[in-house]
Amino acid sequence: MSWAGGSFGSSGTCVLAPNAGPMTLDGTNTWVLRAPGSSRSVVVDPGPSVESHLAAIGDAAGDVSAVLLTHHHADHSEAAREFAERHGCGVRALDPAYRLGSEGLGEGDVVVVDDLEVHVVATPGHTSDSLSFVVPADGAVLTGDTVLGRGTTVVAHPDGELGAYLSSLERLRALCGEQSITSVWPGHGPVITDALGAIDHYLAHRQERLDQVRDALRVLHARARSGERLDHEALPRAIVEIVYADVDPVLWGAAELSVRAQLSFLSSRG
């Protein structure tokens, strides 16, 4: 499936960054949000410091009132300060290290620019500082890397935590009903028009992976009882080789982060 960004709803424009790769899919989605008829915008996740990309964002954004970050990973945040300084605005983020100016960003905040409202929802799990942004006028939620437009995301252990991630998915699921959210505007990959279906898929996928990790642990412990050495330091990679055997090995490093998060989650629940 090809994805190139574009305009969505009454207020959203996605400018696709030229940083495609195994972890970034087609590239990072930089979102420009602006109310109809307004000259002022909000830019979400300026992405990598690539001049052509920053110029394209500037062309789409016009008068930028604020830059918002969904989380600190470099493919979303690298150019935030540079872009904001060019446009004379601040960078608002949950993590103070990524802010420019005095304003932070967190649960319950509402960013208002003319007739545009962006409601901030804390959705930790992928990272500890992950935020999602609800745009009520379009029934849309910008999820950063919490929900992707294609495939599933990594729980980036140890900063990311599976229990928090599952709670965040449940929170987003509830918001679909409470705030009539129908679309996901993700940080990578195409827009999803069935938000509830996508979140239900993510929840089912996580449960399936937990079951697979439990099964892999049983296999590895049975091998150990048969005399095969079980190296606990190498246990996460051994689980990856069983559970993710059908996944391109180039992604096994990321998969190992998720497995470590799954093992921590299972351990915390006895």
Side-chain angles (χ1 to χ4, degrees):
M1 184 192 311
S2 178
W3 165 249
S7 296
F8 299 89
S10 64
S11 59
T13 299
C14 175
V15 182
L16 181 64
N19 62 334
M23 297 300 297
T24 56
L25 305 180
D26 311 271
T28 299
N29 293 338
T30 296
W31 286 95
V32 177
L33 306 176
R34 177 169 43 220
S38 175
S39 63
R40 301 196 301 157
S41 69
V42 170
V43 172
V44 178
D45 291 352
S49 181
V50 176
E51 181 56 39
S52 61
H53 180 56
L54 300 187
I57 302 170
D59 289 344
D63 181 5
V64 182
S65 294
V67 170
L68 312 182
L69 292 180
T70 60
H71 65 298
H72 71 271
H73 283 167
D75 57 317
H76 295 257
S77 68
E78 181 184 47
R81 176 178 290 268
E82 174 185 1
F83 181 82
E85 287 176 341
R86 288 187 188 186
H87 290 269
C89 66
V91 177
R92 299 184 63 180
L94 181 59
D95 187 336
Y98 292 84
R99 298 173 187 168
L100 177 63
S102 60
E103 288 190 288
L105 200 63
E107 169 69 32
D109 286 346
V110 180
V111 180
V112 179
V113 177
D114 296 331
D115 291 331
L116 173 73
E117 287 191 3
V118 180
H119 296 239
V120 182
V121 182
T123 49
H126 169 68
T127 61
S128 60
D129 67 335
S130 289
L131 300 172
S132 294
F133 304 133
V134 174
V135 183
D138 285 315
V141 58
L142 285 74
T143 53
D145 285 358
T146 298
V147 177
L148 304 180
R150 185 168 60 248
T152 55
T153 197
V154 172
V155 178
H157 181 84
D159 179 48
E161 198 269 324
L162 182 57
Y165 183 67
L166 293 172
S167 295
S168 291
L169 290 177
E170 292 287 4
R171 176 86 189 282
L172 289 173
R173 191 182 192 283
L175 285 175
C176 286
E178 293 167 5
Q179 299 193 25
S180 301
I181 294 170
T182 57
S183 297
V184 172
W185 295 355
H188 302 277
V191 160
I192 298 171
T193 56
D194 179 8
L196 184 59
I199 294 165
D200 281 344
H201 168 71
Y202 264 56
L203 285 163
H205 170 78
R206 287 296 164 187
Q207 186 57 57
E208 180 183 7
R209 283 296 192 219
L210 281 170
D211 290 342
Q212 291 171 337
V213 168
R214 291 188 186 98
D215 290 343
L217 283 169
R218 282 191 282 269
V219 168
L220 291 169
H221 285 299
R223 291 177 184 173
R225 287 193 296 272
S226 300
E228 184 175 318
R229 182 171 177 270
L230 181 61
D231 183 347
H232 286 279
E233 287 298 316
L235 181 62
R237 177 49 64 103
I239 292 172
V240 167
E241 292 173 359
I242 295 172
V243 173
Y244 294 85
D246 59 344
V247 173
D248 189 334
V250 75
L251 298 173
W252 279 7
E256 186 173 333
L257 295 178
S258 284
V259 166
R260 289 182 181 275
Q262 289 157 350
L263 291 172
S264 177
F265 177 81
L266 292 172
S267 176
S268 70
R269 282 150 180 78

